[in-house]
Structure formats: C-alpha cells, structure tokens
Amino acid sequence: MTESAHEALPRRLTVFLVDDHAMFRAGVRAELGAHVDVVGEASTVGEAVSRIAATLPDVVLLDVHMPEGGGRAVLDAMRKSHPQVRFLALSVSDAAEDVIGLIRAGARGYVTKTISPDELAAAIRRVADGDAVFSPRLAGFVLDAFASRPDVPIADPELDQLTNREREVLRLLARGYAYKEIAKELYISIKTVETHVSNVLRKLQMSNRYELSRWAADRRLV
C-alpha cells in the first residue's frame, strides 16, 4: 500500500464500554472489533470515571442503569473535566425520562440495545464527528423536551424516590412482565425482583402491581 493510500484511510476511532454486565460488554467488544478500537471497559461508575480519564477515548458507550448512580453519574463526573470525550448512551431502556435525562447531562446520542452492530458502528462514527444520534422512536422525546417545552422541568418528586434499578423493575412490571421474566431481563434473582417491587410499592404508597402499572402509564414510563 502506498503512503498516499495510507493517508486516505479514516482513523480508527477509540471506544470505551461502560456496562455492568460483563457478557454484554464482551458481545459489544466482539461485534465492534472490525470497526473501532475498544480501549477499555468498566462495570461501575467509579471504574468508568478513572479509566476513561486514563484512556481518553473518542466515544464512550454508556449504559444508563447501573449501581452508584448509573450513566448520569459518569457524565456528571466527566463532562466538565473532559469535554473532548463524547458519550453515546446504549441502553435497554427506551423511557422518555431516561433519554431526556442523559441528553440533558451531556450525552451526544441515545440508542437502544436492539441496534445492529453495523448501525452501532455508524452511530459511534457520527457522534465522534459531532452529530447527535438517536434511535428513531426516541428522537420524538428529545424534540418534545427541548423544542416545544424547553422550560418544563422533568423532575418528578415521586419518581425521584426510586433508584435506577427500581425504575427498571417498575417499567417491566408495568409492561406485563412476570417476576421470572424481569429477573431474566435484568440478570437478577426473582427474590431481588420481589424486594424491588416491595420497595416501590412502599415508596409510592400503593398496594398492588395494577396500581403501579396505571401510575407508570400516566407518566409514560411503560
């Protein structure tokens, strides 16, 4: 290959993975290997903050719901000190509050985990180039929040009582998932699901899942 041909090749982007599920990280790393250089990964907020600062990737693929505050906590810790690093949320959640919350915190895009490897590689490239990228259905949430109602806060005192994991359990419960299905979806035990549901019911002062489902639907969390 000639020197001029080398100069024509686009630079391979560097990517950092943040997700609390090791098997998911391994799958993403394998699928993206032909497109980008994965320079690091983390399963917790603390690991993510220190390792992103050390590796300075072009783009961070950021899970939304993790222990210690989730993707929002990573963004809050990194955005001001490392503005050159761009963040693309990659989550199982397609809830409006999650999408808007991550974008307000500084993420350049938000795609769901149903995205194909080729589409994800293209999204990473676009975010690295400065574009904003969203899964098609999610773009409407962002338009509603930033265009038609720019001054409307998204804070919800009742919802803010819940941890990120409790919100995930609530959302799946409201969609009609059984406890066993929720446990499988979130890689947790059925006993843990039961504990989260009990906590949600107590915090929201409700007595059954049907009230929870109606409450979640009213807030467009389903």
Side-chain angles (χ1 to χ4, degrees):
M1 187 176 294
T2 66
E3 183 175 346
S4 60
H6 275 297
E7 291 175 351
L9 292 174
R11 180 177 67 87
R12 279 175 67 87
L13 296 173
T14 56
V15 172
F16 193 99
L17 308 178
V18 181
D19 194 291
D20 57 340
H21 295 138
M23 290 184 64
F24 180 78
R25 295 198 308 273
V28 173
R29 177 189 286 272
E31 294 289 352
L32 290 181
H35 304 281
V36 301
D37 290 330
V38 178
V39 296
E41 57 185 70
S43 61
T44 68
V45 171
E47 287 178 352
V49 171
S50 63
R51 293 178 185 174
I52 291 170
T55 55
L56 295 178
D58 295 305
V59 176
V60 175
L61 288 182
L62 185 63
D63 193 12
V64 177
H65 296 291
M66 299 187 303
E68 306 175 4
R72 178 66 179 267
V74 177
L75 277 165
D76 289 343
M78 300 296 301
R79 286 299 297 161
K80 289 184 179 178
S81 59
H82 298 81
Q84 75 276 31
V85 178
R86 293 192 164 106
F87 291 81
L88 173 61
L90 175 61
S91 174
V92 69
S93 171
D94 58 2
E97 54 154 353
D98 289 334
V99 178
I100 295 168
L102 264 289
I103 298 305
R104 285 192 188 280
R108 292 292 303 177
Y110 193 115
V111 295
T112 60
K113 290 181 176 178
T114 57
I115 194 171
S116 73
D118 287 344
E119 289 172 334
L120 180 57
I124 291 169
R125 171 65 65 181
R126 290 180 58 192
V127 167
D129 288 342
D131 292 340
V133 178
F134 302 95
S135 294
R137 201 176 79 81
L138 308 184
F141 299 153
V142 180
L143 288 174
D144 287 346
F146 291 91
S148 62
R149 297 183 301 165
D151 298 327
V152 176
I154 61 171
D156 183 325
E158 288 188 298
L159 188 60
D160 289 346
Q161 301 178 77
L162 308 182
T163 66
N164 287 332
R165 184 61 93 188
E166 287 168 352
R167 295 185 191 194
E168 287 181 312
V169 171
L170 168 61
R171 185 173 303 111
L172 294 175
L173 195 70
R175 289 177 179 173
Y177 282 51
Y179 284 11
K180 181 178 180 181
E181 294 171 319
I182 295 174
K184 183 178 180 181
E185 181 75 16
L186 299 180
Y187 301 96
I188 57 179
S189 70
I190 295 176
K191 181 65 177 178
T192 301
V193 173
E194 292 173 347
T195 299
H196 286 313
V197 172
S198 176
N199 289 339
V200 171
L201 287 169
R202 174 177 51 79
K203 290 180 179 179
L204 299 180
Q205 299 183 346
M206 295 180 187
S207 58
N208 59 59
R209 64 179 297 171
Y210 302 106
E211 291 182 44
L212 282 177
S213 297
R214 187 165 57 250
W215 185 88
D218 289 343
R219 285 163 172 74
R220 301 176 62 187
L221 301 179
V222 180

